[in-house]
Amino acid sequence: LFGPGREVRELIPEIEEKLLSADVGVATTQMLVDALQTASPKTGQEAYGFLKGKVEEILTSTEKIPPNPPLKKGGEGGFPKVIFFVGINGVGKTTTIGKLAHRLKSEGKKVMLVAADTFRAAARDQLGIWAERSQAEFVGGSDNADPASVVFDGCSAAKARKCDVALIDTAGRLQTKTHLMEELKKMVRAASKAAGRLPAVGRLPGAGRPPDEILLILDATTGQNGLNQARVFLDAVPLTGLVLTKYDGTAKGGILVSIVRETGLPLRYVGVGEKIEDLKPFSAHEFVSSLFA
Amino acid sequence: VLGEKFSSVFKKLRGYGKLTEKNIEEAVRDVRLALLEADVNVGVVKSFLEKVKDRALGEVVFQNLNPQSQFLKIVHEELVAVLGGAEKTLILEGKPPHVLLLVGLQGCGKTTTAAKLANYFKKKGRHPYLVPADVARPAAIDQLSTLAQKIGVPCWPTKTEDNPVEIAGQAVDFASRELNDIVLVDTAGRLHIDDELMAELGRLKKKFGNSRTLFVADAMTGQEAVKVARAFHDLLKLDGVILTKQDGDAKGGAALSIQSVAGCPIYFTGMGEGIDALEPFSPERLVSRLLD
Ligand SMILES: Nc1nc2c(ncn2[C@@H]2O[C@H](COP(=O)(O)OP(=O)(O)OP(=O)(O)O)[C@@H](O)[C@H]2O)c(=O)[nH]1
Ligand SMILES: Nc1nc2c(ncn2[C@@H]2O[C@H](COP(=O)(O)OP(=O)(O)OP(=O)(O)O)[C@@H](O)[C@H]2O)c(=O)[nH]1
Ligand SMILES: [Mg+2]
Ligand SMILES: [Mg+2]
């Protein structure tokens, strides 16, 4: 495709097809092709290098944001670091928590898993099994309990048991369901309340310290709707990062380029399978190589 | 002379004569962008547009339309036709038990849909039976049996150490003795590139003389929908498709991509998390959203 001696101009349709097939989307593909034409490289090789560089630049421009705040032993002021896992239905939130718990455990951290999905059948049991597998503490509520109160109890228990981190599992929710986005805001406030960081008056984090991380979990097979998901979730809660799951399939996850370009959110981890060890830190370089493979 | 003048005015009023490459060029471009933004696969968009242009070129423009809107009207009709035209009913008649296998990628909604389907058939006076054949995912058996209990449908007591193919066989034998006429088998999510797990589905299908394989797919699946559907279809010969999570705002272009390779009807669409949230798939409704 990018062999030497091919007119760059005649490569454009192939480049467009490659990017569109990777779910990069119409607008971002157009932006990249326009940039390529402005740069007007002499050879196919140069064109390839230019595009890879451009995409890598988009994806790494956010890596300068550290996980906020950095994970210290015991969290801050004796309160565990709180990480929320949010996203639409079926993307891999619960499984990702199990994987991250395992990773943190191997780093010597004491981890608490909070089953705040009180809606879906067997959601609490599913997370309970991951808690066993990753040897983490576990707190769940009764069926249909108020999710925000489970968050509050879970975070309080994590502090009482001197955990370093509390990973909060939430129910999947389509971003179009306004009442569920409101429920999520309530859950986020509950975590802040448990840490005594906010006045109990319902104001969104920004004042006291909110949950330390709110990660949006995205399925690599998702098309352009992924961008809507990111926009609406970010509008509702202060997301701090992204996780891309099911990257072990054949999908390239190109929608991520548009999402990162628009939101500036860093990609923290990538899910590459269903086993507990199948979680890798994100590498922009590898992602870009695979995108253009 | 006046007659000529009038007839030329009428000719102008009557429109542009016929659809040509030139006068539909912009409309073709707009449709291509709309379909791509709706997640229809790049290759599928290309072949669809070629087919539609073949049909459209040379057509006479109707009196009240201009070429662009006439072309859009044709596109709309063709998309609805490709998606099956009208709502299709899943008819299960003849010698029971009718075995339905629910297959698809991880997290697309198989377990939830299995329960929804059981509920749908129960409401129609049938006697469904649920079989949890996912022994891999934590609490998957629990998930389906909880839903089964909720809707009052019997469910096989699968254990995690069971073999999915064996368990399905035993359950179907049992269900048919109990006079359940429809057996719904929920399988574990799997990648189309996982040869071992795909082979397991092949063995599962072989277990029954007569079964239907229903491909469950997420409405927001992107470009990969073609590859995935093709892999499942090539191996299993899909009998039907169920599109889930259509209660979101995904355009659902994956439906077109899947249809282009699986060639079987999209019977149902998942319209929510509740057990009643299952509707017959409407090509008209999806196409309106697609071109919106
Ligand atoms: N192949 C693969 N499968 C994954 C990955 N992450 C999660 N899964 C699978 O995706 C399915 C859904 O995972 P869950 O963790 O239940 O997803 P969820 O977001 O918690 O789902 P809900 O709570 O129902 O919204 C399961 O079958 C997981 O094993 C991944 O990185 N690769
Ligand atoms: N909003 C909405 N959610 C749905 C729909 N169908 C399923 N879900 C949700 O999607 C998530 C995944 O559903 P499951 O039934 O566990 O999916 P699955 O295909 O069995 O997952 P695996 O067994 O892990 O492959 C759950 O949170 C369901 O409630 C739907 O039509 N609309
Ligand atoms: Mg979950
Ligand atoms: Mg399932």
Side-chain angles (χ1 to χ4, degrees), chain B residues 140-163:
Chain B
I141 299 163
D142 199 343
Q143 184 184 3
L144 189 61
S145 69
T146 299
L147 293 172
Q149 213 163 35
K150 196 160 170 224
I151 57 175
V153 166
C155 182
W156 183 262
T158 309
K159 299 194 198 56
T160 51
E161 49 273 21
D162 292 337
N163 171 301

Side-chain angles (χ1 to χ4, degrees), chain A residues 34-262:
Chain A
D34 288 347
L36 183 68
Q37 290 181 314
T38 305
S40 53
K42 299 287 171 298
T43 67
Q45 185 87 320
E46 276 182 40
Y48 184 29
F50 175 82
L51 285 171
K52 281 180 80 173
K54 200 92 187 108
V55 177
E56 207 165 323
E57 182 186 321
I58 293 172
L59 296 175
T60 53
S61 61
T62 70
E63 279 176 13
K64 303 189 188 62
I65 307 174
N68 86 44
L71 185 54
K72 309 201 277 291
K73 201 140 179 50
E76 228 177 71
F79 200 84
K81 171 165 175 163
V82 176
I83 307 180
F84 267 74
F85 292 73
V86 306
I88 64 159
N89 309 71
V91 293
K93 300 176 291 300
T94 307
T95 307
T96 302
I97 289 175
K99 295 172 182 177
L100 187 60
H102 174 73
R103 172 173 274 261
L104 291 170
K105 201 78 174 53
S106 69
E107 293 171 6
K109 305 284 189 297
K110 186 169 187 197
V111 185
M112 161 72 82
L113 304 191
V114 180
D117 175 357
T118 59
F119 170 77
R120 208 208 68 210
R124 181 191 51 242
D125 298 339
Q126 184 186 3
L127 190 70
I129 293 172
W130 283 109
E132 279 171 37
R133 290 180 178 182
S134 60
Q135 301 187 317
E137 299 287 321
F138 178 73
V139 162
S142 47
D143 288 347
N144 292 312
D146 170 36
S149 58
V150 177
V151 170
F152 187 92
D153 295 343
C155 290
S156 309
K159 172 158 173 36
R161 298 184 212 176
K162 303 211 172 18
C163 297
D164 299 303
V165 207
L167 306 180
I168 318 290
D169 193 12
T170 67
R173 64 202 69 223
L174 296 186
Q175 72 278 18
T176 46
K177 315 250 156 130
T178 320
H179 63 295
L180 293 182
M181 299 310 288
E182 286 305 309
E183 177 187 86
L184 189 60
K185 290 181 193 175
K186 245 185 112 220
M187 294 168 76
V188 166
R189 280 197 294 270
S192 303
K193 269 194 237 166
R197 290 165 186 172
L198 269 190
V201 182
R203 241 190 69 209
L204 236 323
R209 216 177 78 209
D212 302 277
E213 295 245 38
I214 303 177
L215 302 177
L216 178 66
I217 316 303
L218 295 156
D219 185 327
T221 64
T222 305
Q224 299 310 299
N225 195 258
L227 186 55
N228 285 30
Q229 292 170 29
R231 284 176 179 152
V232 176
F233 271 88
L234 184 57
D235 186 59
V237 294
L239 298 178
T240 60
L242 309 166
V243 176
L244 186 72
T245 61
K246 308 178 196 172
Y247 195 57
D248 47 315
T250 53
K252 300 282 171 96
I255 189 60
L256 219 59
V257 182
S258 307
I259 292 174
V260 173
R261 187 170 157 238
E262 185 166 314

